[in-house]
Amino acid sequence: MEAFYVLPPNPVLGERFYIPEMIEDCFVTEFWDSIFLAGSWFAVWNGVDLELDKSVFEQVYLIG
């Protein structure tokens, strides 16, 4: 099974996109025995592909 993200026509180099539902599992952080994955993410168009902007999750705080 294949999956892909649909972009608007002619994306601009460096343009940021919000991905509301991730196709792949993207690790955010872990706490004890739990691993937390992102449900959504931001990505930047590099002219060929989307690159995930990992700076969004550089500081993750777990409360509770």
Side-chain angles (χ1 to χ4, degrees), residues 18-62:
Y18 174 68
I19 303 171
E21 295 182 35
M22 296 295 297
I23 294 171
E24 65 270 15
D25 291 335
C26 295
F27 174 83
V28 175
T29 191
E30 59 185 311
F31 181 72
W32 291 357
D33 293 332
S34 300
I35 295 175
F36 296 91
L37 303 174
S40 61
W41 211 299
F42 287 93
V44 178
W45 179 248
N46 68 8
V48 177
D49 201 0
L50 287 173
E51 293 180 3
L52 295 178
D53 181 3
K54 298 186 182 210
S55 69
V56 175
F57 292 107
E58 285 179 354
Q59 294 182 0
V60 175
Y61 300 100
L62 301 175

Side-chain angles (χ1 to χ4, degrees), residues 5-17 45-50:
Y5 299 110
V6 178
L7 299 178
N10 304 317
V12 178
L13 187 66
E15 186 173 356
R16 291 175 57 87
F17 292 93
W45 179 248
N46 68 8
V48 177
D49 201 0
L50 287 173

